[in-house]
Each structure stands twice: as C-alpha cells, then as structure tokens.
C-alpha cells in the first residue's frame, strides 16, 4: 500500500512512527572474529555525516514542498553540517526556556496542537552512492537523533516518518535504491506533537544533531540481542542468558557464544537453541568478577552465527558486566551492599555545538566525573548517545537512564501546581506515543551494566500513562529499579517509583521523611542547584549518608553550564545565555547551573564536590591518620597514603604511610613527627592524601583522589614585637599626616577615611577605604530576592556620613578613628579605627553596633582600591579555589598564588566570586614584588581581590559589559554570608551562615608594606 505523507501527522497523536524499524539493541557486528576482537570500524556501516544541502523555512507554508523529487535542483542551496543544530549554523535563532513552552504568549493553543505560524522547517538533501562492498545487500539508514519530527524520501519515494528526538529512527532503503547516485531528502520540523513531551529545561533547537549512517547486514543477522546476567544470593555463581532476534532470509545452522575475561581467557561457552521464534542461550559462570563503578570489570561475549553450509557470517562482540542491583530490606543494594549515589545530572552540551557533542567531549566528561569522585549520572532528561553508556560501562559510572519525557509547562505554572490540562496524565490517547519512547530507550540500552535504574521521564506530574510505563519497565526488566519523581505531587500513583525521589528538598525535610519509618529509600534526583556561585551547604546533604541508611545520595543539578558562544558587537566571543539571541519568551541565565563551565573548564564549585563525594575519609591528627573507607568493594591497596607537615604554610616534612583498610571499615596509620620540627611556636598543618599508585583510564599515577587535613597550634613564649622608629604627626586643618622612616600615611577629615599609604614613594591608595555591607548579587541571591530583602545594605554601602574623627597619639603609635552614620537607621553606628605603628604598618579595626529588625547583611567588610599594577597575589589561606563559609569543606590551608584577573570566577553572569576564607595573610604586589600584605590579628579573615567593585559587578549582565581594568579592589571582611544552593528561586542561606545585623560585630586586620 502506498503511503502518502501529510503534514497533519505533526499533530496526530496516533502517528509518531511510519515505516520505522522496531527498536533494538545498540550492538556492533562484524563478518569475522578478528574484526570483532579488534573492534575495528564496522565495514557494514557508512557514515553520511558532513555537509548536506540545506534550505531553511520559517514555517511549513514557505517550505519547498517538492524538494525531495529527483528533478528538483538543490545545487544552489547552502550547506549545513550534520550532525548539528539548525539554529547554531546561521539559520533561525536558539531559544532557552525552562518550564514554559516556547510558544507561551505567542500562541493560545493546547496539546496536541502546535504553532504552525512559527514552526521552522529544515529541508536537507544528501547525494550518495552505495559503497561497492555494500551493494546487492539490504540497505538501511539510521538517524541517531533528529529534533523533533522528520520525513524521509529516497529518490522521490517516501520512506518514513518519526518523532522522539533522542532515540534512533531507522528505515529500510532497499526498495528505493537506484544505480549510481541516490538522492536522500529529509524534512525536519521543529514543532510536532512530540514537542509537548519535550519541555525540558534546555535550549530549544532543531535539526539532525546526531550521527546518520547507512548500514547493511549479512545473510544472517542478529537484529536484537538481549543479554542478561544474574547472580545467586552468594554472588559467587553467575548465569548469562541471551535472547536473540534474527533478521535473515535463511536460518542459521548454528549460533555459538563464548565468554572471555579481561585477559582473553575463555570463561564459558554455549550453543544457541531456537524456540518460539527466537534463539536463546545460557551459560553458567563460577566466581565471576563483579561489575561496579569502583571496579568496572567487563567480560567480552562473542556471539557467532553460521549459515547452512557452516560458514561464519556474523560475529557480535558484547561487553558484559555481572552485577546484581536490588531493593532489599527497603535499601537499594549493589552486589549485596548499600549503594550511595554521588551523582550529577548531565545534559549533553557543548558551548559551540549545543547537544551535538563529540566523542572527545564525552571522554573529557567521563574522566572529569571519575577524577572528582562522582560515581553516578542521571541522563537528564533524555537518552544520551550510545557511546556515553559504553564509557559508563568501561570507566565505571552508575546511570539512571531517563526516557525522553517532560511536560513541565502543562502542570506547573510559575511554580504553582496546576494540572488542569496536564499531559499525559490519565489520557489514554497519549499512551502509545509515550510508551513508544520508553520502548525505544529500553530496547537500545538494555545491555549496559552501568544502567541501574530506568526513569519514566522528568517533571510530567503523574497519572495512569506514566504508571503504565513503569509497569512496562518492571515487566521487561526485573533486574533494574524504576524511578519517577513526579509522584511526590500526586500520591495516587505512588507505585510508579521504587524509591522516594524529590527535587530540592531541604535537609530538614529529608530528615523528616527518613525519621518516620518510610517504605521506600530516598534519593535526591536533583539537589544543590549549582547556578552561578552556589553549592553552599552541600555538606548538610552528604552528612545524611551516615546518619540514615535509607538516604542513598543524590544528583547535583547539574553538570555543565548550557551557555553558547556568541560574539558581541565588536566581534569578541563571549558565553551567552537565554535572551541574548533575541529569543522571547526566555528564562535568561537559568541555563547556567553547572559545576563545569560550558567551555569545559572546571568551576571552583568542583573543589567542594570532589571532597564531599570522596570514598575515603582521611582524619589526621598529630600522631597519625584515621582512614574511613566508604568504598563498597575497594581496599586501599591501589593508593599511596602521603602526609605533609607545614608550619605557617612552609613545608617541613613529608612521607608515605602503609595501612590496610578493607571496604566499609576503618583503619589507622601512625607517624612520628620529629620533636625538633614542632619546637617553634606557630600554626602547623598536616595534609594527608590518597594518590593513585598506577595510571588508570581516567588519571595518571600520582593523581590525588582523597584529602584530609589537621590544623593545630604550638604555644611558646610570647616575645614582644619591637617596632623601631619614631612617628611625626602633622594635624592640619583637613588632613592628619603620620610620617616615619620612608613612609607617609594620611587621613582626611573631609573624606572621612584613610587617603594615603605611601611607602618609599609608592602610593597604594587609589580610592579610600570604606565600610562595605553589600556583595555583588549571586544568582541564588537574586532567586531569594536579596535586593528586596536586604537592599538597604546596598544603599548603606554607598551613602554614609562621617560624623566624628578622633585622633590619639603616643610615642609608639597614632590612632585615628572615623565614626559613620548610615542613612538606613539612626541607631546603627560604624567605626573604623586605624592605628599607625612606627614601622609603617596600619592596624584596622571595624566595629559595627547593630539595631533590631534589620535584614541579613550580605557582608561586613572594609573595601578600598589600589592601582591595577598591584595584581600579584600570594595567599596563606583556605584554597586553592574560591570558598565561602558554607562551601569550604573541600578547601585546604596552604600558600597559594594567583593574579587578580584570574581571581574572578567564570560565572556567566557577573556576580560575587573569588572569596577566600581562613585568610591568615595575603601579599598583594606588583611584578617586581612591591606592595602590601594584609594579615589577620586574632581571627582569620575573609578576603577578595578583584578588578571590579561589587557595584560594577552588580550592574553588569555579561562580562563584556564590565569596564576596562584600572584598579585592584581590595575587600577585607570579618564575615561574608554563605552562597547557599538548596535551590535558586527562594531558598535562603542556612542560618549559621548568615550575618545577623541586629548583633554587634567587629574584626581586625593589619596592613604591612612589602
């Protein structure tokens, strides 16, 4: 029967696949055993990636309707790269929205209708000839990913139609082939019924964005292989079973299977049996080595098909992992042990190519996960490229594989749950199109041992349709569990998910659930919303791992910023976010939530992730180190345990310790620090590390995988510091000058501040010090409406009045105190005391007397400017990356160097960044080592050095909007509030990391010349 394609399919719930081949496993296949063993590129596959002829139409009415005909001349069209997004190759524009549908405000429609007035159409044409070695065989085409619906023609004949952007669509081309050059035509629509099901929090693109290739098959072909492993209760006896579906004209004479270990030794073998239309085989394996993220042991299975004459015609290599994942005693267990997911949500993304990512991108990602102790990924919110699962199998990453379903905008509007027209809900007409997506994901991905959990999609509320998807997964695959968070909003469908899964629940809410004898284990499928300068308070979640066995970890939102390279009006590249392309509606910078920047550089937030996710806890003291091994299956024999002793940041000794600690146990290693090394008074610090003994797939030998430190003081006789020299004080009508040997320091009664620090003729003060109560608003601050709640501190930082100047002189020092009145409230008083010592050092003390009913204070600090030539930094503080009071668990005390320009973190929207806690001292110098040192007096400080003031950062939406650099801005704080991160739309910073403005506050620091 001739099928006549129609544009009406785009809105027909019953048409989502026409002539599409059934979904099947993603295995490779070869004609010889040697090729299969060597994993060479498949000869029976021919890529069609590269340049295609292309025409862009803003809507269907303007498309070249008959472009697929052989006589239609497309030679004058432009080119487009496949794989790639249409909107990132000069056609149309990308659009970023989160929950709302991209046509909100433009079209008043309800599903399954779509906006046809703006439904971009990409018309693709590829001319190809069948490779000689593929001629006279059946020929197929595979589209690995096309967004969101497409029609296919070959030589003017209609081939097929498909929806679902993130799973393969395959068609047979054999009946439509001609000799010589063939014309392949593909018509891609951005909007279709499927668009209602693809309302993920991401950029809205379209086009052929994954690989396209031709393939053929031998005379006998295993079209689908379902390979399963089982373990008995002792985990010492394994069984491998497989079901094979064949696509062939002739029946095989024999199917043989052989299993080899990693060394290439034969482990087991079996012959297939034909029954009920399929071939099956089973083999027993005694004492199999088990797969886990810690030890991703893979066997290699070779399935061989022989024709009727006994000749080998096909070999399938299939990597196999033996592992058992189950829910036992209300706890998720892998190979018998309670698992904790130390995970991230991961979009496929590249700042230049969007979701059309490369194998190199994926390799970088998988190594980055492993290097930073991340053991799990949720494929938010769609099936990824097959290669990603292969890497997760090989490198060892636990996967929640999520089907391509999100209908967020149909039930949640501006945060409110309003499911009056939610889809798919209980609407039976949506069942088939939704189930098709579940089937396509399962059939392709079922053989990957890294996948522990199937997910029924994301943020689509709940109902019978999704419940039926969960039942499908459980029926076809009892070896895995099923996840779905949406039942939190509708408990009538609680059985959809095997685990309690919530988004952005506060630690107290999680504890409330866990303390009430729940029926299901708990995971945070999304937590720690890492937007901009965030991830504060993450330790409150990881602390739950030890306290509650049914708390089994979570997945940070998210892995990588979704920002796109764009050029400003002067041709300079920058990272752009929603709205920068004129896209409306948009959710602006809400796409930048990564612990990795979009250009694949690590964000400072990763420092905290790596530490809190480490499997080995190192707790040193003055006599040794306690090792807590939280690994499920790994002893510490593959690591070197090193320690280093420092005094005041200077290394005194280091060594390597021997210790044996089994999985899920503790041990201790002792060391004897030489007594003479501890004789001097001062601050000492012991660093301990676990480092790889040997190179791995993901890191070189010597790579640090775990860290712990211990800081202690050695008391000694206090020797008074003699400050030589005499001071000459000149108190003029306006200025107070304090002069000593080779320095001159001046205060102004008129300016109400210190106005000059002149050392050896070098002026250090470019703008006088002033009290500072405001930091450049972070993304989380914006989400909490900090500007509304605490905006008076913005005004207080800019508008103040010096109401009193007091001068005190003695032989050794001169004190000048400025008292400030703030416009916000008369009861508040701020004083800054300056004490000039005879050697030119200045002691600065800031005192704040608070008042009742004031909002939280973002920062309590003193800030001033020095010339920009002073841009070299050496810290003795917590580092090396930026840290805050609620994000400093992963920081370590040490001496670190950087520059002021490098100090500004790469968050896409300018905001507070670069802070260091625990500052003992920091040198700010020019290129020849001249400058000043800032040091603590009694308590460590928080400091920041930036090319920009808090207010310049506050008023810039992009980095290119910041002014040229003329100064170094020095900010010395007694305290800065934490950055928070429970969410970015209203969650406050936890109370212990706030600054309560009703209390009296003070801090001190010293300024020394260098």
């Amino acid at each position: 029967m001739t099928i006549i394609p129609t544009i009406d399919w785009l809105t027909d719930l019953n048409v989502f696949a026409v002539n599409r081949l059934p979904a099947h496993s993603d295995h490779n296949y070869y004609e010889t055993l040697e090729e299969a063993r060597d994993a060479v590129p498949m000869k029976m596959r021919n890529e069609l990636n590269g340049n295609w002829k292309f025409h862009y139409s803003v809507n269907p009415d303007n498309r070249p309707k008959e472009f697929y005909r052989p006589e239609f001349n497309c030679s004058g069209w432009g080119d487009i790269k496949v794989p790639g997004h249409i909107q990132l190759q000069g056609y149309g524009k990308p659009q970023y929205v989160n929950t709302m549908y991209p046509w909100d405000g433009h079209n008043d429609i309800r599903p399954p209708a779509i906006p046809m007035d703006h439904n971009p159409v990409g018309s693709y044409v590829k001319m190809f000839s069948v490779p000689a070695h593929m001629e006279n065989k059946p020929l197929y085409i595979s589209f690995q990913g096309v967004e969101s619906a497409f029609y296919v023609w070959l030589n003017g004949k209609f081939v097929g139609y498909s929806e679902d952007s993130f799973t393969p669509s395959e068609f047979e081309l054999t009946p439509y082939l001609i000799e010589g050059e063939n014309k392949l035509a593909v018509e891609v629509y951005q909007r279709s019924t499927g668009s209602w099901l693809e309302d993920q929090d991401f950029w809205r693109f379209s086009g052929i964005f994954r690989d396209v290739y031709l393939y053929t098959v031998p005379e006998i072909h295993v079209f689908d292989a379902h390979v399963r492993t089982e373990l008995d209760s002792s985990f010492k006896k394994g069984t491998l079973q497989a079901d094979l579906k064949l696509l062939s004209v002739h029946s095989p004479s024999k199917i043989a299977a052989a299993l080899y270990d990693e060394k290439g030794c034969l482990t087991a073998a079996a012959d297939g049996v034909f029954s009920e239309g399929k071939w099956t085989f089973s083999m027993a394996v005694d004492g199999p080595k088990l797969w886990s993220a810690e030890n991703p042991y893979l066997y290699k299975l070779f399935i061989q098909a022989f024709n009727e004459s006994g000749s080998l015609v096909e070999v399938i290599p299939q990597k196999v992992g033996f592992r058992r994942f189950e829910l036992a005693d209300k706890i998720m267990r892998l190979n018998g042990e309670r698992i904790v997911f130390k995970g991230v949500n991961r979009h496929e993304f590249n700042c230049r190519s969007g979701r059309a990512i490369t194998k190199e991108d994926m390799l970088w990602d998988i190594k980055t996960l492993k290097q930073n102790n991340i053991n799990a990924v949720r494929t938010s919110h769609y099936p990824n490229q097959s290669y990603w699962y292969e890497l997760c199998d090989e490198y060892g990453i636990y996967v929640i594989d999520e089907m391509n379903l999100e209908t967020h905008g149909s039930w949640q509007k501006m945060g409110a749950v309003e499911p009056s027209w939610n889809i798919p809900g209980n609407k039976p007409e949506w069942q088939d199109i939704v189930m098709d997506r579940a089937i396509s994901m399962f059939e392709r991905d079922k053989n990957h041992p890294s996948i522990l959990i199937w997910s029924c999609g994301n943020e689509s509320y709940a109902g019978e349709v999704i419940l039926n998807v969960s039942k499908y997964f459980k029926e076809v695959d009892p070896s895995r569990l099923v996840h779905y968070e949406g039942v939190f909003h509708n408990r009538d469908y609680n059985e959809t998910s095997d685990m309690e899964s919530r988004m952005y629940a506060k630690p107290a809410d999680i504890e409330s659930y866990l303390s009430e004898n729940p029926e299901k284990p708990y995971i945070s499928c999304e937590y720690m919303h890492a937007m901009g300068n965030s991830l504060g308070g993450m330790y409150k979640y990881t602390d739950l791992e030890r306290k509650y066995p049914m708390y089994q970890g979570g997945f940070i939102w998210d892995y990588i910023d979704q920002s796109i390279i764009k050029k400003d009006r002067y041709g300079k590249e920058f990272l752009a976010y929603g709205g920068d392309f004129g896209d409306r509606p948009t959710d602006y910078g809400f796409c930048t939530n990564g612990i990795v920047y979009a250009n694949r550089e690590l964000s400072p937030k990763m420092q905290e992730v790596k530490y809190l996710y480490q499997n080995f806890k190192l707790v040193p003291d003055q006599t040794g180190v306690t090792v807590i091994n939280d690994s499920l299956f790994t002893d510490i024999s593959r690591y070197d345990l090193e320690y280093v002793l420092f005094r005041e940041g200077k290394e005194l000794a280091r060594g390597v310790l021997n210790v044996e600690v089994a999985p899920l146990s503790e041990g201790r290693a002792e060391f004897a620090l030489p007594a003479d090394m501890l004789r001097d008074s001062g601050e000492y610090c012991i660093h301990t590390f676990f480092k790889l003994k040997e190179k791995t797939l993901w890191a070189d030998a010597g790579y640090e995988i775990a860290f712990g430190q211990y800081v202690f003081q050695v008391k000694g006789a206090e020797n008074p510091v003699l400050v030589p020299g005499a001071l000459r004080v000149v108190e003029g009508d306006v200025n107070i000058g304090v002069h000593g040997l080779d320095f001159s320091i001046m205060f102004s009664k008129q300016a109400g501040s210190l106005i000059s620090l002149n050392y050896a003729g070098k002026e250090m003060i470019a703008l006088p010090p002033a009290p500072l109560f405001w930091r450049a608003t972070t993304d989380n601050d914006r989400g909490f409406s900090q500007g509304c709640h605490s905006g008076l501190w913005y005004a207080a930082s800019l508008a103040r009045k010096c109401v009193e100047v007091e001068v005190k002189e003695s032989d050794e020092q001169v004190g000048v105190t400025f008292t400030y009145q703030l416009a916000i409230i008369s009861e508040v008083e701020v004083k800054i005391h300056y004490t000039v010592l005879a050697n030119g050092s200045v002691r600065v003390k800031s005192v704040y007397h608070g008042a009742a009913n004031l909002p939280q204070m973002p920062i309590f600090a003193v800030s001033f400017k020095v010339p920009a030539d002073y841009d070299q930094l050496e810290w003795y503080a917590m580092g090396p990356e930026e840290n805050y009071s609620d994000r400093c668990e992963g920081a370590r005390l040490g001496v670190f160097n950087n520059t002021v320009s490098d100090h500004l973190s790469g968050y896409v929207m300018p905001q507070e960044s670069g802070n260091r806690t625990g500052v003992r001292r920091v040198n700010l110098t020019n290129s020849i080592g001249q400058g000043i040192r800032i040091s603590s007096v009694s308590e460590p400080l928080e400091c920041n050095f930036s090319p920009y003031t808090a207010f310049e950062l506050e008023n810039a939406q992009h980095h290119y909007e910041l002014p040229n650099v003329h100064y170094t801005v020095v900010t010395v704080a007694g305290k800065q509030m934490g950055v928070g991160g429970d969410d970015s739309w209203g969650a406050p910073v936890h109370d212990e990391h706030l600054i309560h403005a009703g209390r009296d506050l003070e801090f001190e620091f010293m300024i020394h010349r260098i």
Side-chain angles (χ1 to χ4, degrees):
M1 182 180 69
T2 302
I3 298 175
I4 301 175
T6 169
I7 199 171
D8 294 340
W9 290 351
L10 295 173
T11 54
D12 190 335
L13 284 174
N14 297 310
V15 182
F16 47 84
V18 178
N19 288 347
R20 194 180 71 196
L21 298 176
H24 58 85
S25 55
D26 59 357
H27 62 270
N28 289 335
Y29 53 93
Y30 300 88
E31 293 178 301
T32 71
L33 190 56
E34 289 73 21
E35 290 176 339
R37 283 175 173 161
D38 295 340
V40 299
M42 288 176 56
K43 292 181 179 178
M44 288 179 280
R45 180 178 293 178
N46 185 63
E47 284 192 353
L48 293 182
N49 294 343
N51 288 330
W52 292 45
K53 286 298 179 183
F54 182 76
H55 182 279
Y56 176 81
S57 307
V58 71
N59 59 41
D61 287 342
N62 292 307
R63 78 192 194 280
K65 293 184 176 64
E66 298 187 346
F67 81 104
Y68 58 87
R69 294 186 179 277
E71 63 271 17
F72 191 101
N73 187 356
C74 303
S75 61
W77 287 4
D79 290 331
I80 197 168
K81 183 180 178 182
V82 171
H85 298 296
I86 291 172
Q87 291 76 15
L88 295 183
Q89 300 191 67
Y91 303 95
K93 61 187 177 185
Q95 179 186 15
Y96 168 68
V97 285
N98 176 17
T99 63
M100 60 181 152
Y101 283 98
W103 47 79
D104 189 82
H106 288 290
N107 302 92
D108 185 13
I109 55 175
R110 287 290 179 262
I114 57 172
M116 297 301 282
D117 58 329
H118 185 77
N119 185 6
V121 185
S123 303
Y124 293 76
V125 171
K126 183 72 169 180
M127 307 300 293
F128 71 89
S129 297
V130 179
H133 68 279
M134 297 174 68
E135 290 178 346
N136 303 315
K137 295 180 180 179
L139 190 71
Y140 305 88
I141 190 167
S142 179
F143 295 89
Q144 291 290 296
V146 182
E147 190 174 5
S148 71
F150 67 106
Y151 301 75
V152 182
W153 293 265
L154 185 64
N155 300 319
K157 305 295 185 182
F158 176 66
V159 174
Y161 169 83
S162 184
E163 298 176 23
D164 185 358
S165 301
F166 297 98
T167 53
S169 298
E170 299 184 348
F171 307 92
E172 184 171 3
L173 300 181
T174 314
Y176 317 107
L177 288 170
I178 60 175
E179 288 189 11
E181 198 169 55
N182 289 262
K183 180 179 181 179
L184 175 66
V186 183
E187 192 173 66
V188 179
Y189 290 79
Q190 184 169 20
R191 315 288 187 211
S192 67
T193 307
S195 301
W196 288 101
L197 304 177
E198 296 177 7
D199 192 34
Q200 287 93 334
D201 174 11
F202 62 12
W203 289 91
R204 309 307 167 102
F205 298 127
S206 64
I208 306 172
F209 69 98
R210 288 183 183 167
D211 290 340
V212 182
Y213 56 85
L214 303 172
Y215 68 93
T216 187
V217 297
E219 60 182 281
I220 297 171
H221 173 58
V222 176
F223 178 75
D224 179 72
H226 188 184
V227 180
R228 307 177 301 285
T229 60
E230 295 179 2
L231 295 168
D232 69 356
S233 58
S234 71
F235 305 101
K236 293 180 180 179
K237 291 186 178 296
T239 304
L240 186 151
Q241 296 178 308
D243 295 335
L244 310 177
K245 296 178 182 177
L246 270 59
L247 181 69
S248 57
V249 177
H250 306 287
S251 298
S253 63
K254 180 182 177 181
I255 298 285
L259 185 69
Y260 295 84
D261 64 16
E262 285 188 343
K263 295 180 180 179
C265 298
L266 182 65
T267 300
D271 287 337
V273 176
F274 185 74
S275 176
E276 299 180 356
K278 63 183 178 183
W279 285 79
T280 64
F281 62 83
S282 177
M283 58 180 72
V285 179
D286 289 332
K289 294 185 178 180
L290 305 186
W291 186 96
S292 69
E294 298 171 26
N295 298 295
Y297 193 94
L298 292 172
Y299 292 83
K300 183 166 279 190
L301 175 69
F302 291 96
I303 302 171
Q304 301 178 63
F306 298 84
N307 63 17
E308 293 176 339
S309 64
S311 298
L312 178 65
V313 294
E314 183 175 68
V315 183
I316 295 171
Q318 177 66 53
K319 291 182 179 179
V320 174
F322 283 86
R323 56 114 182 102
R324 180 172 172 177
F325 185 65
E326 61 188 332
L327 190 59
D329 301 323
K330 300 196 292 188
I331 291 176
M332 290 180 283
R333 300 182 187 275
L334 178 71
N335 301 335
E337 301 293 351
R338 167 184 172 255
I339 194 171
V340 175
F341 293 107
K342 302 177 180 187
V344 292
N345 287 271
R346 175 182 172 272
H347 273 293
E348 295 181 308
F349 202 79
N350 178 291
C351 62
R352 295 185 183 276
S353 59
R355 289 187 288 276
I357 65 173
T358 65
K359 288 186 175 181
E360 289 73 24
D361 291 332
M362 288 183 267
L363 278 167
W364 193 94
D365 289 349
I366 202 85
K367 291 178 181 179
T368 297
L369 299 183
K370 295 294 290 187
Q371 289 168 2
N372 291 284
N373 297 317
I374 297 165
N375 73 0
V377 160
R378 176 173 173 236
T379 67
S380 53
H381 301 289
Y382 42 81
N384 290 182
Q385 294 187 43
S386 277
Y387 185 64
W388 179 248
Y389 303 95
E390 294 176 21
L391 292 176
C392 291
D393 294 342
E394 184 179 5
Y395 283 73
I397 291 291
Y398 303 125
V399 176
I400 296 182
D401 200 12
E402 194 150 79
M403 65 179 281
N404 179 23
L405 173 66
E406 180 164 343
T407 64
H408 205 159
S410 76
W411 65 274
Q412 193 171 67
K413 289 86 175 176
M414 295 183 66
V417 176
E418 198 286 291
S420 61
W421 58 275
N422 168 241
I423 54 171
N426 296 325
K427 299 176 174 61
E429 64 271 25
W430 287 85
Q431 185 68 74
D432 289 347
I433 192 172
V434 170
M435 188 65 77
D436 176 69
R437 293 165 179 246
I439 293 169
S440 293
M441 177 179 74
F442 167 76
E443 293 292 358
R444 188 195 68 170
D445 298 343
K446 60 199 171 196
N447 294 331
H448 292 284
S450 57
I451 298 171
L452 302 187
I453 299 172
W454 300 114
S455 176
C456 300
N458 185 66
E459 292 180 314
S460 298
Y461 198 59
E464 290 289 337
V465 172
I466 298 175
L467 175 59
N468 289 337
V469 168
S470 175
K471 290 178 178 178
Y472 161 78
F473 284 137
K474 293 174 183 179
E475 178 184 354
V476 296
D477 189 7
S479 71
R480 295 179 173 101
L481 300 180
V482 177
H483 161 269
Y484 186 65
E485 176 268 344
V487 299
F488 173 73
H489 302 284
N490 189 337
R491 292 300 186 183
D492 290 342
Y493 302 94
N494 215 39
E495 65 177 298
T496 305
S497 185
D498 289 322
M499 66 281 306
E500 178 73 3
S501 173
R502 297 186 189 175
M503 293 186 178
Y504 309 108
K506 311 296 188 294
D509 297 331
I510 297 172
E511 287 206 74
S512 177
Y513 171 84
L514 294 168
S515 62
E516 295 176 358
N517 191 27
E519 290 301 311
K520 296 180 181 180
Y522 185 101
I523 63 170
S524 297
C525 64
E526 292 180 20
Y527 83 117
M528 294 315 304
H529 197 265
M531 185 174 175
N533 193 350
S534 186
L535 227 73
M538 180 178 166
Y539 69 91
K540 288 179 173 287
Y541 293 87
T542 55
D543 283 353
L544 298 175
E545 295 169 8
R546 290 184 176 277
K547 191 173 181 181
Y548 298 99
M550 291 181 70
Y551 179 78
Q552 300 199 248
F555 297 78
I556 294 166
W557 187 266
D558 57 4
Y559 169 68
I560 189 168
D561 283 348
Q562 294 182 76
S563 50
I564 299 171
I565 291 290
K566 189 175 187 285
K567 290 184 178 180
D568 65 18
R569 64 180 301 180
Y570 302 106
K572 186 177 180 180
E573 290 186 342
F574 71 98
L575 286 167
Y577 50 79
D580 286 339
F581 298 88
D583 46 313
R584 303 292 188 277
T586 187
D587 280 301
Y588 300 98
F590 210 73
C591 55
T592 58
N593 318 130
I595 53 177
V596 168
Y597 297 134
N599 61 2
R600 279 185 166 73
E601 293 180 2
L602 297 187
S603 155
K605 293 171 284 190
M606 190 67 89
Q607 176 174 265
E608 194 81 346
V609 174
K610 181 178 180 179
Y611 179 81
L612 292 176
Y613 273 177
Q614 63 191 29
N615 280 333
F616 307 100
K617 309 297 190 292
L618 298 173
V619 187
D621 54 37
Q622 282 184 245
T623 62
V625 55
T626 299
V627 178
I628 303 169
N629 185 353
D630 287 337
S631 297
L632 306 187
F633 314 106
T634 309
D635 62 27
I636 62 172
S637 60
R638 65 179 67 170
Y639 306 101
D640 286 322
L641 176 55
E642 299 182 8
Y643 69 93
V644 185
L645 173 67
F646 299 90
R647 179 184 176 274
E648 305 290 342
K650 181 179 179 181
E651 182 179 324
L652 300 180
R654 66 170 56 227
V656 178
L657 301 173
N658 292 316
V659 62
E660 295 182 4
V661 185
L664 299 173
S665 66
E666 295 186 17
R668 183 168 174 83
E670 304 290 342
F671 49 68
L673 299 175
D676 62 339
M677 288 188 180
L678 302 177
R679 66 173 179 259
D680 295 329
S681 62
E683 182 176 58
Y684 290 79
C685 182
I686 299 172
H687 287 180
T688 53
F689 317 89
F690 267 134
K691 295 183 177 181
L692 288 172
K693 287 183 178 179
E694 298 178 355
K695 183 178 181 179
T696 68
L697 280 173
W698 45 269
D700 290 331
Y703 182 80
E704 178 191 312
I705 199 64
F707 167 80
Q709 72 176 2
Y710 175 65
V711 180
F712 61 98
Q713 299 283 337
V714 172
K715 301 291 184 181
E718 297 205 8
N719 298 316
V721 178
L722 298 177
V723 180
L727 296 173
R728 180 172 60 90
V729 181
V730 179
E731 186 167 354
D733 295 330
V734 176
N735 300 311
I736 304 157
V738 182
H739 308 280
L741 182 62
D742 206 25
F743 70 86
S744 177
I745 297 171
M746 191 170 290
F747 303 89
S748 169
K749 301 173 189 177
Q750 180 174 280
S753 186
L754 167 71
I755 60 168
S756 175
L757 276 175
N758 192 302
Y759 294 125
K762 301 289 186 180
E763 178 58 63
M764 296 302 302
I765 300 295
L767 191 72
L772 180 70
F773 310 102
W774 188 257
R775 71 179 184 196
T777 307
T778 68
D779 288 316
N780 288 344
D781 292 342
R782 277 184 280 271
F784 183 66
S785 300
Q786 178 106 305
C788 178
H789 296 301
S790 299
L792 57 84
W793 295 115
Y794 182 100
S797 299
L798 293 172
R800 66 193 170 275
K801 180 181 180 181
C802 180
V803 295
E804 183 180 359
V805 182
E806 182 181 2
V807 181
K808 290 185 178 180
E809 297 183 43
S810 70
D811 292 340
E812 294 84 19
Q813 59 188 37
V814 175
V816 181
T817 301
F818 297 96
T819 302
Y820 301 98
Q821 184 182 73
L822 307 180
I824 55 173
I825 186 168
S826 60
E827 290 88 345
V828 170
E829 181 183 83
V830 180
K831 292 178 181 287
I832 299 182
H833 305 275
Y834 297 93
T835 303
V836 182
L837 305 181
N839 65 352
S841 297
V842 181
R843 184 167 180 160
V844 185
K845 183 177 182 179
S846 181
V847 179
Y848 166 90
H849 295 293
N853 302 317
L854 288 176
Q856 64 196 36
M857 183 188 294
I859 191 172
F860 175 46
V862 172
S863 186
F864 59 97
K865 291 181 180 179
V866 303
D869 287 347
Y870 298 92
D871 65 351
Q872 303 297 307
L873 294 166
E874 181 185 270
W875 301 80
Y876 177 40
M878 299 297 285
E881 303 295 340
E882 72 175 21
N883 50 89
Y884 294 80
S885 67
D886 60 353
R887 202 184 83 212
C888 60
E889 299 290 315
R892 63 195 63 184
L893 180 61
V895 175
F896 308 103
N897 295 275
N898 63 354
T899 65
V900 171
S901 59
D902 292 338
H903 206 56
L904 193 69
S905 300
Y907 306 123
V908 177
M909 185 178 290
Q911 57 195 277
E912 158 62 35
S913 67
N915 189 67
R916 300 298 191 277
T917 65
V919 178
R920 278 67 167 166
R921 65 177 184 268
V922 55
N923 295 346
L924 174 65
T925 61
N926 59 18
S927 59
I928 58 174
Q930 298 172 327
I932 58 174
R933 171 182 294 171
I934 291 172
S935 62
S936 62
V937 175
S938 55
E939 296 295 325
L941 304 163
E942 296 192 39
C943 290
N944 202 337
F945 295 79
S946 173
Y948 310 108
T949 68
F951 309 100
E952 289 169 333
L953 292 166
E954 182 77 34
N955 290 296
Q957 300 300 302
H958 302 86
H959 283 267
Y960 67 77
E961 298 173 34
L962 291 165
N964 292 331
V965 176
H966 300 288
Y967 306 102
T968 290
V969 181
V970 180
T971 301
V972 184
K975 187 175 182 181
Q976 180 177 171
M977 66 182 283
V979 292
D982 290 353
D983 65 48
S984 299
W985 49 88
V989 170
H990 289 279
D991 189 71
E992 63 267 40
H993 299 289
L994 293 174
I995 304 174
H996 298 283
R999 302 171 185 170
D1000 290 348
L1001 304 167
E1002 64 178 54
F1003 71 97
E1004 292 181 271
F1005 63 96
M1006 295 289 297
I1007 303 175
H1008 313 271
R1009 63 172 166 177
I1010 298 176

